[in-house]
Amino acid sequence: MSLLVIGSVAFDAIETPFGKTDKIIGGAATYITLSSSYFAKQVNLVAVVGGDFPKNDIALLNEHGIDTEGLQIKEDQKSFFWSGKYHNDMNSRDTLVTELNVLGDFDPIIPASYQSSEYVMLGNLSPQVQKTVIERMEKRPKLIAMDTMNFWMDIAKDELDETIKMVDVLIINDEEARQLSGEYSLVKASKKIREMGPKYLIIKKGEHGALLFNQDRVYFCPALPLEEVFDPTGAGDTFAGGFIGYLAATDDISFDNMKRAVIYGSAMASFCVEKFGTERLIALDKKTIESRVQAFIDLSQVELQIT
Ligand code: AMP
């Protein structure tokens, strides 16, 4: 099944306790499409960049089988720029700069060949743009998943509420779930957020794994304890890409299959943090991914008989 992805395609400047980068390629949709390209047969990108965005990085996306017909290039404008600095524990970060640039007036155009996409991943960008994409799909896709962040909760809460109402799966982190719901308990937060629209909610907890909620069911997938974490940037998007890519590849949206998808998403995210930016993500193969998924299975599997 084919997958349509929207989100930022950007320049990032990152500072972690292990080092600092100048402008490197990043953006939510970059991480999502790269991650999902290892699973979904057809990945369709809708995004916008400025004339400053390197053409060889677009070619790199194409080499991963990502269709960039829906990637607009505004030659006389600058690409979205984000800069962040991680704290010592790497679980939290401060945003230093957000320059919307070309994203400021982005009008997402969906090529005709993308209209048959059954799966949609609305990566992080303005909720108004995310909503426009849903409205411009001629047929309701089988599954719409969405990510967002505190930045949009602060400046576009009404639009965000409108968009959240329209999606099936919301994927956010624990801090965002607390801000969105006004609840500290993640169980209470998950109830409130699902009352806002999405039947499924995934709450990512960084190095402490991820929770999947639906009705009265909850599933927990741990994160793999890694010896070295260099840069968590994009881990959330890479998770989302692995999750939705696996669902699109298997074309099964049952709760049990979503649990498997959460494991695939977590495995992909565990690669992402091992190097700066997209470096690790662009150089993976099926075998390496499968052995990492096996490591996740081994991590939490136990034979236990309650007597
Ligand atoms: P993550 O670490 O998964 O939260 O995602 C980091 C990526 O999100 C970076 O590559 C940024 O370019 C991108 N990003 C940060 N802020 C925003 C924003 N307000 N809108 C869209 N993308 C953003």
Side-chain angles (χ1 to χ4, degrees), residues 7-8 10-12 26-28 31 80-82 86 93 95 98 100 103 124-126 147 149 151-152 176 204 232-238:
S8 49
F11 286 123
D12 290 344
Y31 286 101
F80 175 78
F81 172 64
W82 176 82
Y86 287 85
R93 72 181 176 207
T95 288
T98 300
L100 289 178
L103 268 192
N124 191 12
L125 42 72
S126 134
D147 181 17
M149 72 185 296
F151 180 82
W152 303 111
E176 291 154 357
K204 298 164 291 174
T233 306
D237 307 310
T238 303

Side-chain angles (χ1 to χ4, degrees), residues 46-291:
V46 173
V48 63
V49 291
D52 54 355
F53 198 80
K55 304 283 180 285
N56 56 345
D57 284 301
I58 299 175
L60 183 97
L61 297 177
N62 298 142
E63 279 160 32
H64 278 79
I66 299 157
D67 190 325
T68 52
E69 193 191 336
L71 176 67
Q72 300 172 37
I73 303 173
K74 304 273 177 189
E75 289 296 347
D76 54 344
Q77 292 183 49
K78 280 166 74 180
S79 300
F80 175 78
F81 172 64
W82 176 82
S83 163
K85 182 177 175 175
Y86 287 85
H87 301 164
N88 276 343
D89 69 357
M90 300 280 258
N91 256 338
S92 51
R93 72 181 176 207
D94 295 323
T95 288
L96 305 178
V97 182
T98 300
E99 283 175 16
L100 289 178
N101 298 329
V102 82
L103 268 192
D105 58 357
F106 177 36
D107 182 28
I109 295 161
I110 303 175
S113 62
Y114 288 13
Q115 282 294 347
S116 55
S117 305
E118 295 275 11
Y119 289 78
V120 171
M121 178 69 223
L122 305 172
N124 191 12
L125 42 72
S126 134
Q128 185 55 50
V129 173
Q130 291 174 316
K131 185 168 164 236
T132 303
V133 168
I134 302 176
E135 287 167 349
R136 289 185 179 169
M137 294 296 290
E138 284 157 11
K139 193 173 80 159
R140 220 258 176 205
K142 191 163 178 179
L143 193 84
I144 304 176
M146 169 186 174
D147 181 17
T148 188
M149 72 185 296
N150 48 3
F151 180 82
W152 303 111
M153 293 175 201
D154 293 338
I155 68 162
K157 183 66 170 64
D158 291 345
E159 290 92 333
L160 184 63
D161 287 349
E162 281 295 304
T163 311
I164 285 177
K165 237 188 249 171
M166 302 165 81
V167 306
D168 304 296
V169 188
L170 184 67
I171 307 175
I172 50 180
N173 69 29
D174 44 358
E175 200 184 319
E176 291 154 357
R178 289 186 171 117
Q179 180 170 346
L180 188 60
S181 64
E183 293 286 353
Y184 184 80
S185 151
L186 293 181
V187 175
K188 283 188 186 161
S190 94
K191 278 191 191 137
K192 270 204 180 167
I193 294 170
R194 282 176 296 138
E195 278 162 16
M196 294 167 77
K199 287 195 207 68
Y200 300 87
L201 172 70
I202 294 177
I203 301 182
K204 298 164 291 174
K205 289 162 61 61
E207 65 170 333
H208 303 297
L211 292 156
L212 166 68
F213 295 93
N214 167 246
Q215 294 171 353
D216 53 358
R217 301 180 283 205
V218 57
Y219 171 70
F220 173 67
C221 174
L224 196 67
L226 295 169
E227 204 159 316
E228 292 187 303
V229 174
F230 272 104
D231 172 20
T233 306
D237 307 310
T238 303
F239 172 97
F243 172 80
I244 195 98
Y246 180 80
L247 290 180
T250 52
D251 194 24
D252 172 357
I253 56 170
S254 65
F255 187 71
D256 274 343
N257 205 47
M258 283 202 191
K259 290 188 200 173
R260 292 181 204 110
V262 167
I263 294 182
Y264 271 84
S266 304
M268 294 306 285
S270 77
F271 288 121
C272 176
V273 302
E274 287 179 334
K275 291 205 173 151
F276 269 104
T278 55
E279 202 182 331
R280 184 79 170 106
L281 204 53
I282 57 175
L284 290 171
D285 57 69
K286 272 247 145 73
K287 223 170 141 218
T288 312
I289 295 169
E290 278 164 12
S291 73

